Amino acid sequence: MGRLVNVAVASPSVALALLAGCGEPEAVGTATESFGSGTGSVDDGLETMVGWSGSSGWVTTGPDDPVGPCGDDPSCLPPSETVPTEKPDGLPSPLPGVYDDQGPAPPDAGFRALIGFPTRQRKLLEDRVALMYAPGSPLFRRYMTVDEWMADHAPDPTVVALIENWLRSRGFTIDFEAKNRLLVQFSGTVADFNATFQTELHICMRKNPLWEDPPFPVYCTLDRFTLPKFVAERTNGLASADLPTEKGELTPEVGKIVADPPGPEAYGPRVFYGAYHLHPLFEAGFDGGGSSVGVVAAGTYHAIDLQIFWKSFGVERALPKRVAVMEPVFERVTETALDVQWATAMAPGAKAVVYEGPDARNTSLLFTWNHAITANEVDVLTFSFAHREDSEPKPLRHQYDESALMGAAIGMTLVSASGDSECPTRRARART
């Protein structure tokens, strides 16, 4: 095979991105109206980056490494790059008592899924973060800016563009791309999902983490599925796949804001102030003023309930800022209300921001968690929708860690609940 001259190909990844990028570019969805995708059109910048002016034959990165021809076919890739390759995924498998298999999902049903990307130069970042938190280190508390993190550690935009174009070529829709490029949400039909990943989605009934609430349906798989080699090598694989977001409208709030304290046996904020020795801080004037706390939420809360809670316990503060992430929020969730009530009561002087995903599914929670970190507008971020490590797949948990590492690098304090699904008297099962 001869070389195609006058085409500056920086790497096989760039060459593949060029081939997959043939045809008209498609705009990527944004997580919020004011929070862009980070790359705009998926093919922005490719022409200037590599001097591409079209393909009329084989492009090679070496004497024996053909990566074309392409023409206008976005799926035009060499056979060696499309070999089905096993890749761990973030979908659960049947687990008696937790995920009960109900059989194959209907082929015409919809889905939404997240594909995750690895942190670039992760080992270098891990070493740097360790020094940021080591007293005596010259890098102690010298945190990165988001722009610095993006420049040094965000996934390569040409790689993300390559994967997005491949997903489109399989009939999927790109819904959202995270600003830090660690996640892309796409959607389509179960039939196309099964054909693309050589698997069969099943419906499993998931045990509800909330005590005595009924189980709910989720997608699961019986076996590992595969990705084309070029996708498997450039991504962390699928972090999640869920039923489509439900649609609806928030019901109006009703009721009056009145003090309604619980009985004497209840634990209010002041009890926790004492347990964590916060009273001396409050007496010295430290109530969180000048700092900020964020809450990763599923759905939203009742603002009236929030104010009743504050009034009942003598907390005076402003309502949080709400940030809608992904699809529109359609329900008010009890756990979200509890999270916001307690986070805001523990630091009554702190600015509060609530990042609202559409529901409590993995796809929504993971994307919202990552979004809140990348936004970098709070000092402390809390997340209570815990995942059981004995039943949630490792790729899902690992993708949470990719985002958390960025949070550590930019100096954000991250708090996540360890879980409250078990009886606290069972030692080694319920930990704080």
Side-chain angles (χ1 to χ4, degrees):
M1 295 293 181
R3 292 181 181 272
L4 179 65
V5 298
N6 297 328
V7 178
V9 179
S11 69
S13 298
V14 173
L16 288 169
L18 293 173
L19 297 177
C22 298
E24 293 297 320
E26 177 183 332
V28 179
T30 56
T32 67
E33 184 175 348
S34 60
F35 196 71
S37 65
T39 60
S41 175
V42 295
D43 290 329
D44 284 354
L46 287 183
E47 182 174 348
T48 57
M49 290 176 65
V50 297
W52 180 255
S53 59
S55 173
S56 59
W58 290 96
V59 177
T60 65
T61 56
D64 301 311
D65 187 21
V67 292
C70 181
D72 291 327
D73 181 4
S75 63
C76 176
L77 293 169
S80 61
E81 290 288 341
T82 59
V83 173
T85 304
E86 280 199 1
K87 185 79 171 181
D89 62 87
L91 278 73
S93 297
L95 182 66
V98 181
Y99 293 101
D100 292 319
D101 186 18
Q102 306 297 302
D108 58 349
F111 79 91
R112 55 185 160 134
L114 291 177
I115 192 165
F117 294 84
T119 301
R120 190 158 41 94
Q121 303 185 94
R122 180 179 172 113
K123 181 62 168 60
L124 182 66
L125 181 61
E126 288 177 336
D127 292 343
R128 182 172 179 175
V129 167
L131 293 174
M132 291 177 185
Y133 292 87
S137 163
L139 291 181
F140 183 55
R141 292 182 177 173
R142 292 180 58 183
Y143 307 118
M144 304 178 74
T145 66
V146 170
D147 287 343
E148 289 171 338
W149 186 93
M150 292 293 295
D152 294 343
H153 302 290
D156 187 331
T158 63
V159 171
V160 177
L162 165 67
I163 304 305
E164 288 179 344
N165 284 327
W166 170 72
L167 289 169
R168 290 188 185 92
S169 77
R170 300 298 304 178
F172 301 129
T173 299
I174 304 299
D175 302 314
F176 304 105
E177 178 188 309
K179 186 178 180 182
N180 62 7
R181 300 195 290 272
L182 286 177
L183 291 166
V184 168
Q185 178 180 302
F186 64 100
S187 59
T189 66
V190 167
D192 286 339
F193 186 100
N194 291 345
T196 297
F197 302 110
Q198 299 186 15
T199 188
E200 184 177 52
L201 283 179
H202 279 227
I203 297 288
C204 279
M205 294 305 294
R206 168 74 158 93
K207 177 184 177 182
N208 202 310
L210 298 178
W211 185 253
E212 294 185 345
D213 278 12
F216 54 91
V218 300
Y219 284 136
C220 60
T221 54
L222 306 186
D223 301 300
R224 285 187 178 182
F225 53 77
T226 64
L227 298 172
K229 180 174 177 286
F230 77 95
V231 179
E233 291 181 345
R234 290 166 175 81
T235 71
N236 288 335
L238 260 65
S240 68
D242 282 308
L243 279 68
T245 307
E246 295 182 41
K247 299 184 184 300
E249 294 185 3
L250 281 174
T251 57
E253 292 196 59
V254 295
K256 296 182 179 180
I257 302 171
V258 295
D260 186 21
E265 295 183 356
Y267 292 112
R270 294 188 180 279
V271 174
F272 289 91
Y273 296 163
Y276 289 95
H277 307 290
L278 299 182
H279 287 298
L281 291 177
F282 287 129
E283 292 168 0
F286 297 103
D287 63 354
S291 61
S292 53
V293 58
V295 179
V296 175
T300 189
Y301 52 85
H302 288 272
I304 292 176
D305 286 353
L306 189 58
Q307 293 172 90
I308 289 174
F309 180 89
W310 292 339
K311 192 176 185 67
S312 299
F313 292 108
V315 175
E316 297 182 4
R317 60 164 302 125
L319 285 168
K321 170 186 174 182
R322 292 176 56 198
V323 178
V325 182
M326 309 174 78
E327 297 89 351
V329 168
F330 68 94
E331 61 181 342
R332 305 182 194 276
V333 179
T334 301
E335 184 165 351
T336 292
L338 292 171
D339 294 347
V340 178
Q341 286 171 348
W342 282 95
T344 54
M346 294 302 287
K351 171 188 172 184
V353 182
V354 180
Y355 299 94
E356 300 176 349
D359 53 35
R361 306 279 183 166
N362 286 337
T363 299
S364 170
L365 293 176
L366 175 55
F367 194 95
T368 304
W369 163 258
N370 180 75
H371 177 103
I373 290 171
T374 311
N376 193 28
E377 60 180 329
V378 297
D379 302 304
V380 179
L381 183 67
T382 177
F383 179 46
S384 83
F385 288 84
H387 294 283
R388 289 175 51 166
E389 292 190 356
D390 64 340
S391 59
E392 296 294 346
K394 183 177 179 180
L396 173 67
R397 293 182 274 124
H398 177 78
Q399 198 65 44
Y400 271 104
D401 186 65
E402 296 278 13
S403 305
L405 181 58
M406 178 186 180
I410 63 178
M412 189 180 293
T413 299
L414 305 173
V415 182
S416 180
S418 60
D420 56 4
S421 301
E422 280 286 2
C423 175
T425 58
R426 296 181 185 176
R427 194 166 47 183
R429 285 188 175 239
R431 298 173 178 168
T432 57

